[in-house]
Amino acid sequence: MPQIAPTEAETAALARAITRANGLAKSDTRVGIVAAIVMDDEVIAWGDNHVLAEDDPTRHAEMVAITNACEHLERTSLKGATLVTTLQPCEMCLSAMRFAGIERVVFAAQKANVAGKYFMFQGLEIGDFAKACDDAFGWSGGTMEADVLPLYADGQE
């Protein structure tokens, strides 16, 4: 299930995330990366990037959104959910998604169009990740990319 089409709810959540990311990028302590967990056509959790605010390299927006969703549902399984994010998830976040049972991701800015600092394994592509999951993982990238790409193109968000 590699390439997917985003649903209306996923697209609406991404539009809200992009608006928030653009606002956060103007802050001194926040990074303009935002993620959401969508389940049954509703956003059940949000996550902003907290890496700089908490001096913790694992507090990516996707990780924060997963944590918030699990706490909200009071369980570790997010099977049936979609992660929506303003920047293509890194390898750590993709792994965390799968540990949580998430099988879909919709993102705006694509790896090929952003600064290299966002990815540690430059040779690993999202298609490789899907294959490693026996293609039980789908994604849609580049959705509304132009609205957020200036934040990540040079890595100075």
Side-chain angles (χ1 to χ4, degrees):
M1 130 171 72
Q3 293 284 342
I4 60 169
T7 67
E8 283 185 38
E10 293 164 349
T11 302
L14 184 57
R16 287 175 57 198
I18 289 170
T19 298
R20 181 160 176 78
N22 279 304
L24 288 174
K26 296 173 182 144
S27 166
D28 291 337
T29 60
R30 303 304 281 271
V31 176
I33 302 171
V34 176
I37 304 293
V38 177
M39 187 175 273
D40 298 325
D41 291 333
E42 290 186 38
V43 173
I44 62 166
W46 289 97
D48 300 339
N49 186 298
H50 288 236
V51 170
L52 297 177
E54 296 180 17
D55 294 322
D56 183 344
T58 68
R59 298 295 286 159
H60 292 194
E62 298 87 350
M63 302 291 273
V64 173
I66 290 168
T67 298
N68 291 343
C70 290
E71 288 175 354
H72 170 73
L73 296 174
E74 298 181 337
R75 66 178 195 232
T76 59
S77 175
L78 297 177
K79 188 158 180 61
T82 300
L83 188 139
V84 174
T85 183
T86 58
L87 176 62
Q88 181 175 330
C90 72
E91 307 84 3
M92 173 182 67
C93 294
L94 288 168
S95 295
M97 290 169 54
R98 293 301 294 142
F99 275 106
I102 297 172
E103 297 175 341
R104 293 171 56 94
V105 63
V106 175
F107 55 90
Q110 300 172 89
K111 178 181 177 180
N113 300 327
V114 301
K117 80 172 199 171
Y118 299 109
F119 302 92
M120 295 297 106
F121 301 94
Q122 292 298 325
L124 184 61
E125 300 298 329
I126 196 163
D128 300 324
F129 186 82
K131 285 179 192 170
C133 297
D134 296 327
D135 286 325
F137 182 78
W139 78 91
S140 176
T143 305
M144 294 181 273
E145 183 176 48
D147 296 334
V148 75
L149 193 57
L151 293 179
Y152 316 123
D154 63 5
Q156 298 301 312
E157 84 296 317

